[in-house]
């Protein structure tokens, strides 16, 4: 593709940084604008107020830096990665600076949900040449709210972040466990986990808003500290059965963890969906469940059968490694498709 301006969150451990590095690995000349919020008391207070009103404060002057970069460098493609503060005014200026420039919006979140929207994004949607989503069920809805061209891709993983980690003795103290889940609190997730706890299983949860339960559930161990990079992979590598719950509030059929867990060599026990069943062979590369009764049954069985559990984990790792599930593999095809369409017709 050539010269790419990447606009997104670039803090250590962010999926935005993983996506930018994947684009860089494809021999693109990458320029970037970091949209990561650097909160203080004032900006945090103002952000909350404006966010409730549908506005995403541009405290980092992201829009200004985009235009400055485009004036200095002949950029071929702007990749806006979840950056909700990018405005339609900025995109119009970009097109004036370079009429042939292509502008992509990428989001791993459900853009239809108001929590993942802003008035800036809704105004800018019609101006993006392509809107990329990992939510297959939102394609028509995205077009209804202004997106002109929508592309669905499956979630991805980053091989430099997500890989099997050999734990040393210190790591084993912190990370070895039978059952764990990485993710934020949701009522349906809590019901599933509490069902396991009430049946005698100890579950370790890494995520926000779980503390209220850990104080009264003896078998629930909550770790509120976030884990990034290799420590995230250690969590998965140290867990015998990695639980993969989806967000019911978002209608998810897969999540980034659906790929990250197998990529770390972890055994994945995930909710059964049509997309999970397409990505992995059931009971061969991953194991699925639908009800809390089936979840409990599968946990009992696979914790007792080390050999089968480890073989399924190995099969899952081979599947993600050999099937083009990484960011680099998926983005190579996306950029190739865009280049082909440029030569034949407008995107």
């Amino acid at each position: 593709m050539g010269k790419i301006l990447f606009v997104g969150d670039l803090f250590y451990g962010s999926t935005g940084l993983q996506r930018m590095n994947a684009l860089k690995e494809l021999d693109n000349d990458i320029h970037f604008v970091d949209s990561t919020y650097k909160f203080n008391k004032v900006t945090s207070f103002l952000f909350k107020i404006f966010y409730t009103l549908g506005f995403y404060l541009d405290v980092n002057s992201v829009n200004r830096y985009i235009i400055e970069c485009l004036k200095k460098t002949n950029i071929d493609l702007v990749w806006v990665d979840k950056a909700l503060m990018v405005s339609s005014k900025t995109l119009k200026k970009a097109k004036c600076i370079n009429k042939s420039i292509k502008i992509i919006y990428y989001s791993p979140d459900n853009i239809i949900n108001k929590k993942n929207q802003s008035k800036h994004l809704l105004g800018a949607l019609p101006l993006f040449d392509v809107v990329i989503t990992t939510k297959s069920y939102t394609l028509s809805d995205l077009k209804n709210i202004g997106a002109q061209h929508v592309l669905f891709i499956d979630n991805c993983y980053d091989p430099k972040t997500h890989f099997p980690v050999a734990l040393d003795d210190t790591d084993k103290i912190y990370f070895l466990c039978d059952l764990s889940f990485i993710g934020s609190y949701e009522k349906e997730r809590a019901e599933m986990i509490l069902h396991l706890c009430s049946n005698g299983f100890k579950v370790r949860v890494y995520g926000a808003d779980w503390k209220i339960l850990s104080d009264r559930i003896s078998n629930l161990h909550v770790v509120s500290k976030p884990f990034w990079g290799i420590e995230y992979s250690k969590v998965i590598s140290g867990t015998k059965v990695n639980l993969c719950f989806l967000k019911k509030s978002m209608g998810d059929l897969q999540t980034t963890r659906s790929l990250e867990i197998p990529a770390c060599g972890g055994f994945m026990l995930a909710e059964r969906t049509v997309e999970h069943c397409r990505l992995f062979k059931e009971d061969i590369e991953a194991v699925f469940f639908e009800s809390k009764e089936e979840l409990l049954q599968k946990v009992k069985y696979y914790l007792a059968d080390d050999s089968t559990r480890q073989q399924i984990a190995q099969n899952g790792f081979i599947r993600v490694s050999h099937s083009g599930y990484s960011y680099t593999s998926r983005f190579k095809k996306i950029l190739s498709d865009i280049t082909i369409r440029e030569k034949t017709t407008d995107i």
Side-chain angles (χ1 to χ4, degrees), residues 37 39-59 117-120:
Y37 263 87
F39 287 112
N40 56 45
K41 289 184 178 179
V42 175
T43 57
S44 180
F45 176 72
L46 290 174
F47 175 85
K48 289 177 182 177
I49 292 176
F50 278 88
Y51 184 68
T52 57
L53 298 174
F55 294 96
Y56 215 82
L57 281 183
D58 187 9
V59 296
Q117 289 181 2
S118 71
K119 292 188 185 299
H120 302 299

Side-chain angles (χ1 to χ4, degrees), residues 82 106-113 116 131-143 150-156 189 245-259 275-276 278:
K82 290 179 59 176
Y106 178 99
S107 178
D109 301 322
N110 181 351
I111 305 172
I112 300 303
N113 190 289
N116 302 315
V131 174
I132 302 174
T133 177
T134 62
K135 312 301 180 187
S136 59
Y137 50 89
T138 65
L139 298 181
S140 60
D141 290 331
L142 284 170
K143 291 181 179 179
V150 184
L151 175 65
F152 163 73
I153 70 167
D154 290 303
N155 282 281
C156 315
R189 294 172 170 181
F245 298 114
L246 302 173
K247 275 197 172 183
K248 296 294 185 294
S249 61
M250 299 294 177
D252 287 353
L253 299 174
Q254 56 171 285
T255 180
T256 53
R257 286 183 297 278
S258 305
L259 289 304
E275 291 185 9
H276 274 161
R278 173 173 55 77

Side-chain angles (χ1 to χ4, degrees), residues 67-80:
I67 297 305
E68 286 182 0
C69 180
L70 295 180
K71 287 180 177 178
K72 293 176 183 178
T73 310
N74 188 25
I75 296 293
D76 299 299
L77 182 145
V78 178
W79 182 293
V80 180

